[in-house]
Amino acid sequence: MNLKVEPLDLQMADISGSKWQEVRAEELDMDNVSLAKTKINNVNMSQMTLNDVNMSGIKISNANLSGLDIQHANLSHAVIDQAHLFGTEFHNVVLPNEGDGNYDPDGQYKPVSFHSCSLTRGQFKNCDLSNVEITDCDITGLKINGILISDLIKDK
């Protein structure tokens, strides 16, 4: 493919409705840009950096997100479906604090839930699991502080 090389310096421009096909656009530097309602298909976004972005309502499908690093993010009401999470770590995941935009002083938040998930060999360390409900789950080998839960249940 012969590409026309033409660096563009767009400032104060409205390119809404533009269509790019078979375009190489590596190492772009965008600042204060609206990409709302943009559709991106079959695009290599590896090693891309997104900072101070509003991605509410975004849908990502058929994506390789391995090595993804998300920090200081609001993932409220996010749905993750059919995902491979081996080796994934969650640190300092909390409910909103007073002063956060979605803080509820009554603490009435929709619960975090896992449905039909394999958390085999998962580890929970220094976590608040108060009021957690475990229903219809295989608890073979489940231990809390080294105590096998199946032993506690059969002793009752």
Side-chain angles (χ1 to χ4, degrees):
M1 165 172 55
N2 290 331
L3 296 176
K4 176 181 174 184
V5 178
E6 182 181 0
L8 300 174
D9 186 0
L10 297 176
Q11 294 182 24
M12 298 295 294
D14 185 348
I15 61 171
S16 298
S18 296
K19 188 180 226 181
W20 298 0
Q21 292 179 318
E22 297 184 31
V23 173
R24 184 174 151 205
E26 296 177 358
E27 298 184 39
L28 297 177
D29 187 355
M30 296 185 201
D31 187 23
N32 199 23
V33 173
S34 174
L35 297 174
K37 299 182 183 176
T38 297
K39 292 181 182 176
I40 299 175
N41 298 299
N42 196 24
V43 173
N44 180 357
M45 296 171 68
S46 61
Q47 298 183 25
M48 186 175 192
T49 300
L50 302 172
N51 185 39
D52 194 20
V53 295
N54 178 355
M55 296 174 61
S56 61
I58 196 167
K59 295 184 187 311
I60 301 172
S61 64
N62 195 22
N64 179 353
L65 300 176
S66 57
L68 176 70
D69 185 354
I70 300 174
Q71 298 177 13
H72 308 288
N74 179 352
L75 296 175
S76 300
H77 304 285
V79 175
I80 299 171
D81 187 17
Q82 297 183 18
H84 294 242
L85 290 178
F86 57 88
T88 301
E89 297 181 24
F90 295 89
H91 298 266
N92 303 308
V93 177
V94 297
L95 292 174
N97 293 312
E98 189 171 357
D100 291 342
N102 54 352
Y103 174 74
D104 180 350
D106 297 326
Q108 297 301 311
Y109 300 105
K110 182 178 177 185
V112 175
S113 62
F114 295 86
H115 300 270
S116 302
C117 296
S118 175
L119 299 176
T120 300
R121 298 184 50 160
Q123 298 177 344
F124 295 86
K125 294 180 182 176
N126 195 27
C127 296
D128 181 351
L129 300 176
S130 58
N131 299 311
V132 167
E133 292 183 31
I134 299 175
T135 307
D136 298 327
C137 295
D138 180 355
I139 60 166
T140 304
L142 175 65
K143 293 180 184 177
I144 298 178
N145 292 333
I147 301 169
L148 201 57
I149 297 305
S150 58
D151 289 348
L152 292 175
I153 292 172
K154 74 178 175 188
D155 287 345
K156 286 199 164 220

